[in-house]
Amino acid sequence: MPKKQSTAAQRAREAARQGGKYTQALRTAEGPAADATEPDDGFGGHEFEYESSTDLFRCTECRVYEVVARGTDGPIKPCTGLVGYGGDTERVYLLLTENPALQYSHAAFLATKVRSTGIGRAPRFSWRDGKLLVESAPSVVAELARRVELITSTIEDRQVPAVASVDRLTAEAGRALLAENYAAYVAEFGEPA
């Protein structure tokens, strides 16, 4: 017998079927989280999205299904992050400073390149003033830093580094920077939808 879903979960499921984000709809229905970037936001840091092929919700980070992460109506097990993190739940951050020689911002380009490594990602509110904050796990952050330093862009038929510097930050420093970026975003644009 399938387990009974809460009204909030049913509404979120319907929102996802219509193209919305399941986790965002569920967060909205259940009330505001203190900080959606924290793993203790009630979802264990997971970002669940609807997967039509299975009619289930799967985390875009660790690829676990919500029914597995939640178990038997207990709390959600914390997200282990990208598969390339090797199950390491600790987080560290890299602060990437864009190369000022580039003619325009390469934040989206850098975020995509970092995500494609499978060992890092740019969390929400990670870019501000030419700097991109990238999350990783302690066991793979050195390799991610090495790969980021190899990213180049073309200027006048020559390859130049896409980043001017790569600074390592602790989990606390990274979360503090995310909080600052979020506050700056809210001050400029208002609360995100």
Side-chain angles (χ1 to χ4, degrees):
M1 179 173 188
K3 83 177 166 184
K4 186 171 166 93
Q5 290 185 335
S6 70
T7 305
Q10 290 171 352
R11 282 191 212 126
R13 189 178 198 83
E14 185 56 35
R17 284 193 176 123
Q18 296 190 16
K21 300 278 187 190
Y22 175 78
T23 306
Q24 184 62 40
L26 197 53
R27 281 185 181 123
T28 302
E30 291 181 349
D35 183 356
T37 63
E38 291 292 317
D40 62 355
D41 65 355
F43 295 91
H46 292 280
E47 289 293 331
F48 295 113
E49 287 191 0
Y50 180 67
E51 187 177 76
S52 61
S53 62
T54 62
D55 196 32
L56 295 171
F57 295 89
R58 192 174 205 180
C59 179
T60 59
E61 305 299 316
C62 67
R63 309 300 295 154
V64 70
Y65 288 100
E66 181 190 17
V67 292
V68 175
R70 192 177 295 276
T72 56
D73 291 331
I76 294 179
K77 295 175 201 151
C79 181
T80 57
L82 296 175
V83 175
Y85 289 4
D88 190 346
T89 56
E90 289 186 61
R91 297 293 175 260
V92 291
Y93 294 88
L94 296 175
L95 184 60
L96 313 180
T97 303
E98 290 183 307
N99 186 340
L102 300 177
Q103 296 173 339
Y104 56 89
S105 174
H106 281 62
F109 168 75
L110 285 171
T112 302
K113 287 286 197 178
V114 167
R115 180 65 182 224
S116 71
T117 66
I119 57 175
R121 72 178 188 114
R124 278 179 253 146
F125 308 107
S126 59
W127 184 86
R128 186 169 64 129
D129 299 330
K131 295 182 185 272
L132 179 68
L133 188 69
V134 175
E135 173 193 271
S136 190
S139 58
V140 295
V141 72
E143 175 61 15
L144 179 61
R146 186 189 71 76
R147 291 185 191 185
V148 164
E149 289 170 345
L150 297 175
I151 298 172
T152 60
S153 188
T154 305
I155 297 178
E156 299 174 0
D157 297 328
R158 62 185 173 91
Q159 294 294 310
V160 298
V163 295
S165 67
V166 178
D167 301 310
R168 292 185 189 200
L169 303 177
T170 63
E172 296 78 24
R175 284 192 291 270
L177 190 55
L178 283 173
E180 287 175 27
N181 289 354
Y182 178 76
Y185 178 91
V186 169
E188 188 170 346
F189 302 107
E191 288 289 332

